[in-house]
Amino acid sequence: MILLDHVTRVFNSRDGDQVVALKDVSVSIDANEFITLVGPSGCGKSTLLRIVAGLILPTMGTASIGGVPIREPRSETGIVFQAPTLLPWASVMDNVLFPLRMMHRIDSTSADKAAALIKLVGLSGFERKSPQELSGGMQQRVAICRALVHDPDILLMDEPFGALDALTREEMTLELLRIWSERPKTVLFVTHSISEAVVLADRVMVMSPRPGRIVEIIEVNVPRPRGFHVEGDAAFHDASRRIRELIFGERHVGPGRAAA
């Protein structure tokens, strides 16, 4: 589904220096696979996501979807950012329908599709509310609906729960797992939370400090369906511990330290 082949991305800073955000990144992601991406701040996670989204191009190497090079944003891709970025003057329903309007794909079935998604995320009855009338978690549910309304094959999520409180974040993580199980997509999910990464993923991609490289891809051998109860599972513990070792070093983790 997604192939990154020796992707490097270099930015020019204002003072004329060059900043290498990504260097020689190669990975293949299968259809309907859930991949999480973790690593230190500034390691290029969001840059990698933007390349897959077609928002920026690699400086070197190639990025492709289904064998077709990514040159621009594609209708087959949905994106959810850390902030919901909803239209403040529009209702929940109109926010969800906005991508279809922009793509000129509104038809007689569009409102029903949007209503079904709104119901899927537990917001039935809020269709005519404005974003200001919703909590942060509810706004992010609307953002997920908006990203899914055109039924994309790929869902890119850049720390979508990072601004939420801990309880709402766990609730949204479980909600995303439920949505993905009911409507499978290829998902690339950026997070700073190791536990969130392991609970969600089929595989976790761990990145190095800048310039960002993939230092290891960890298979998560925890049975689905999942919830945060799997934190007691040995496979969850092993995957979490390995991620901590890769990011912080063995000395930080220490013998017998629980990974979470």
Side-chain angles (χ1 to χ4, degrees), residues 13-14 25 51 63 72 83 98 104 114 119 121 138 194 198 201-202:
S13 65
R14 292 182 179 179
V25 172
I51 288 173
E72 60 187 358
F98 181 71
H104 305 290
K119 181 179 180 181
V121 302
M138 294 167 76
I194 293 173
V198 178
D202 295 312

Side-chain angles (χ1 to χ4, degrees), residues 76-131:
E76 299 91 342
T77 303
I79 307 174
V80 182
F81 298 102
Q82 181 171 353
T85 60
L86 302 178
L87 302 174
W89 59 85
S91 68
V92 166
M93 176 62 77
D94 287 339
N95 267 288
V96 174
L97 288 171
F98 181 71
L100 294 180
R101 297 191 193 281
M102 294 297 292
M103 297 176 189
H104 305 290
R105 287 170 55 177
I106 289 284
D107 58 30
S108 60
T109 69
S110 296
D112 289 340
K113 290 177 182 177
L117 281 170
I118 291 168
K119 181 179 180 181
L120 182 67
V121 302
L123 289 179
S124 292
F126 290 86
E127 291 85 352
R128 296 302 163 195
K129 299 293 185 181
S130 67

Side-chain angles (χ1 to χ4, degrees), residues 43-255:
C43 71
K45 300 185 296 295
S46 295
T47 298
L48 190 151
L49 212 70
R50 290 167 66 197
I51 288 173
V52 176
L55 299 175
I56 59 174
L57 297 176
T59 305
M60 292 183 286
T62 58
S64 59
I65 295 175
V68 179
I70 304 168
R71 300 294 185 192
E72 60 187 358
R74 301 161 56 106
S75 61
E76 299 91 342
T77 303
I79 307 174
V80 182
F81 298 102
Q82 181 171 353
T85 60
L86 302 178
L87 302 174
W89 59 85
S91 68
V92 166
M93 176 62 77
D94 287 339
N95 267 288
V96 174
L97 288 171
F98 181 71
L100 294 180
R101 297 191 193 281
M102 294 297 292
M103 297 176 189
H104 305 290
R105 287 170 55 177
I106 289 284
D107 58 30
S108 60
T109 69
S110 296
D112 289 340
K113 290 177 182 177
L117 281 170
I118 291 168
K119 181 179 180 181
L120 182 67
V121 302
L123 289 179
S124 292
F126 290 86
E127 291 85 352
R128 296 302 163 195
K129 299 293 185 181
S130 67
Q132 294 90 334
E133 297 177 276
L134 306 179
S135 68
M138 294 167 76
Q139 289 183 30
Q140 201 60 291
R141 290 171 193 252
V142 178
I144 292 172
C145 290
R146 184 179 58 189
L148 293 174
V149 71
H150 60 293
D151 196 25
D153 298 321
I154 296 169
L155 185 60
L156 306 176
M157 308 187 79
D158 192 358
E159 296 191 67
F161 310 144
L164 303 178
D165 64 84
L167 292 177
T168 304
R169 183 170 185 153
E170 287 201 4
E171 179 186 10
M172 289 302 300
T173 299
L174 298 178
E175 186 74 8
L176 177 59
L177 279 173
R178 183 179 66 82
I179 293 168
W180 178 75
S181 68
E182 294 185 19
R183 300 191 178 199
K185 307 286 180 190
T186 305
V187 180
L188 186 56
F189 185 104
V190 171
T191 180
H192 277 104
S193 168
I194 293 173
S195 60
E196 185 176 77
V198 178
V199 166
L200 288 169
D202 295 312
R203 294 187 293 163
V204 180
M205 293 167 42
V206 183
M207 295 189 67
S208 68
R210 192 174 64 226
R213 300 178 177 89
I214 297 174
V215 293
E216 192 169 318
I217 299 178
I218 297 169
E219 299 274 351
V220 181
N221 297 312
V222 179
R224 297 186 186 273
R226 296 183 193 157
F228 283 96
H229 65 277
V230 302
E231 290 182 336
D233 189 284
F236 180 96
H237 176 86
D238 291 344
S240 300
R241 183 180 180 84
R242 180 57 182 157
I243 294 167
R244 283 190 177 277
E245 289 174 351
L246 291 168
I247 295 175
F248 303 114
E250 293 185 15
R251 185 175 301 176
H252 177 88
V253 175

